[in-house]
Every structure is written in C-alpha cells, then in structure tokens.
Amino acid sequence: MDIAWEDHGWERLAEGVGRCRLPGWDATCGLIAGRDGALLYDTGSTLAEGAALRARAEALLGGRRVTHIALSHPHFDHVMGTAAFPGAEVFGAVGMDTLLPREREELRADAVRFGVPEEEAARSADSLVAPGHTVTGERMLDLGGRRVLLANVGPGHTGHDLAVLVPGEPEVVFCGDLVEESGEPQAGPDAVGARWPAALDRLLALGGEDAAYVPGHGAVVDAAFVRAQRTALAERFGVS
C-alpha cells in the first residue's frame, strides 16, 4: 500500500511513511500508515494545529483515523494538539504521563511566550492529553503489515525523549528534538546535556548507516549529520 503523500501536504519518506513540517517553528510531525492503523509522531503546538493535522491525515488515509500517537518529548510545540485525536492510544517516554499534567501551566506560558494567542494556548493546555502508555526501553507496535519500534533513547534534549524506528527501505528514524537541522540544537532547563551524546549513539544504533533520520525541526538528514551533531554536543557539554 502506498499513497499520494504530496497531494495531501505530506513529504513521502518511504512506503507508508511520511512527515509534514508545521509553520511557525518548522516542527516535524510524522505519519506511519499500516493496514489496520496509523501512528502520528507529535501533534503540534495547539488544538487548532492538531485538528488541522487530523484533517490532513484522514484525507491521506482515505477517511481512516489516526489510531496511535507517539509524543517525542514534553515541549508545547510537539504535544498540545493531542486532544484533537479522540480515541487514539497515546505513547510517551516513561514519566511523561505524570509530567505533562504537572507542567500544564508552564506549557501554556511557553506557548504564549513563543507567540501563540493566549486564548488558544489556554484552551490547548486545558485539553492536554498525557500518554496512557509509557515506554521504558523499547516497544513494538503492529499497525497491520507495518511494524513500528518505539524507543526511549533519552535523556538528552529533555528527560523524556522517545524516538520511532520504521523498518523498510530506507529505514526511517524519527528523532524528535534530539536532532535539529534548521538550527543549533536547543538546550533548555530540562535538557540533560551530559547524556545527550549517548542518546544520539542510541539513535545511530537503531537506524544504522543507511537510515533516513528525521529531526524535530528541519530537513531529513543522514547518519553523518547525526554523528557530526553528536560530536558538537559532546564538545558543548564537555563529555566524551
């Protein structure tokens, strides 16, 4: 099964695998389509953005819904649209299930600080959905003819970084903000810099030399780019 990704505003990465780049912060949302289900990687910065993603995904899937969501990390521009997908099973790195409700107000404030209108930020924060399923190590999902590996590879960019590996030709690794192409990787107060290079080592071990690595922001990159960013982060944080 393959579909006309570009006709619906998605970038095709492999058979049954694509992503779109959202306006504003150039954040990536990934979509993996199987026979029986579809997984969305990240849900955007607001409920409105999540609703637009849902419409775009359902148009691509011929009316079928997103059945699974994987959240890359607990920053507002990646998680605030989840409530637009009622009934979807939501996955996150262990600890995100308790962290997101606890930091609801901080996420709202972050969204406003970066330009989201206050009313929309408040509505999105009030509707925030925490993961119902947590991933400690690795977890395999079967979407029907399409197996997807969820891997808790952090900490690094945050204390709760979840990557997604999609086997195929090529293999595709959704990295979240552990990898950024459109600018220098951002390290906020919740970053764990001393562990970030090791998290990139785990990404490279997952995907190997020939995988397509999809950053949280920016264009798709290769293993050499991830290794170079790993070296830069190790120097930046004074680790090997």
Side-chain angles (χ1 to χ4, degrees), residues 18-35:
R19 64 93 174 246
C20 63
R21 294 166 70 170
L22 301 177
W25 302 278
D26 193 20
T28 278
C29 289
L31 185 64
I32 302 106
R35 183 181 60 248

Side-chain angles (χ1 to χ4, degrees), residues 3 13-14 23 27 33 37 42 49 70 91-92 102 117 134 161-162 183 189 198 219:
I3 37 191
L13 303 176
D42 284 347
E49 198 160 63
F91 295 78
R102 189 170 67 244
T134 57
D161 294 307
L162 186 71

Side-chain angles (χ1 to χ4, degrees), residues 9-132:
W10 298 85
E11 175 187 353
R12 183 187 184 277
L13 303 176
E15 183 179 355
V17 186
R19 64 93 174 246
C20 63
R21 294 166 70 170
L22 301 177
W25 302 278
D26 193 20
T28 278
C29 289
L31 185 64
I32 302 106
R35 183 181 60 248
D36 304 323
L39 181 142
L40 184 71
Y41 185 68
D42 284 347
T43 60
S45 61
T46 65
L47 265 177
E49 198 160 63
L53 272 169
R54 178 183 174 184
R56 187 186 292 189
E58 289 180 353
L60 178 74
L61 297 168
R64 293 191 298 124
R65 68 183 185 91
V66 170
T67 55
H68 299 75
I69 288 171
L71 299 176
S72 64
H73 63 286
H75 286 169
F76 85 92
D77 51 329
H78 297 265
V79 304
M80 295 271 269
T82 306
F85 299 86
E89 295 186 55
V90 183
F91 295 78
V94 65
M96 270 189 70
D97 53 332
T98 56
L99 182 144
L100 282 181
R102 189 170 67 244
E103 297 195 351
R104 189 185 308 271
E105 174 57 25
E106 184 175 338
L107 290 169
R108 183 205 63 78
D110 282 347
V112 171
R113 185 165 63 252
F114 281 95
V116 175
E118 289 195 16
E119 184 176 341
E120 181 61 20
R123 189 170 74 98
S124 303
D126 288 345
S127 303
L128 193 65
V129 176

Side-chain angles (χ1 to χ4, degrees), residues 115-229:
V116 175
E118 289 195 16
E119 184 176 341
E120 181 61 20
R123 189 170 74 98
S124 303
D126 288 345
S127 303
L128 193 65
V129 176
H133 307 276
T134 57
V135 182
T136 301
E138 296 180 354
R139 180 164 182 169
M140 186 73 75
L141 297 179
D142 189 345
L143 302 176
R146 167 81 56 191
R147 290 170 68 81
V148 178
L149 180 71
L150 311 184
N152 183 344
V153 297
H157 176 65
T158 71
H160 310 83
D161 294 307
L162 186 71
V164 168
L165 168 69
V166 190
E169 294 292 337
E171 294 194 327
V172 178
V173 182
F174 289 97
C175 306
D177 286 6
L178 286 166
V179 178
E180 294 193 44
E181 185 275 337
S182 55
E184 183 178 349
Q186 298 301 301
D190 57 345
V192 187
R195 305 277 295 278
W196 200 333
L200 296 190
D201 289 337
R202 286 189 283 276
L203 284 180
L204 289 164
L206 277 176
E209 191 61 29
D210 298 324
Y213 292 87
V214 187
H217 303 265
V220 176
V221 300
D222 58 13
F225 182 96
V226 177
R227 279 196 302 273
Q229 199 154 93

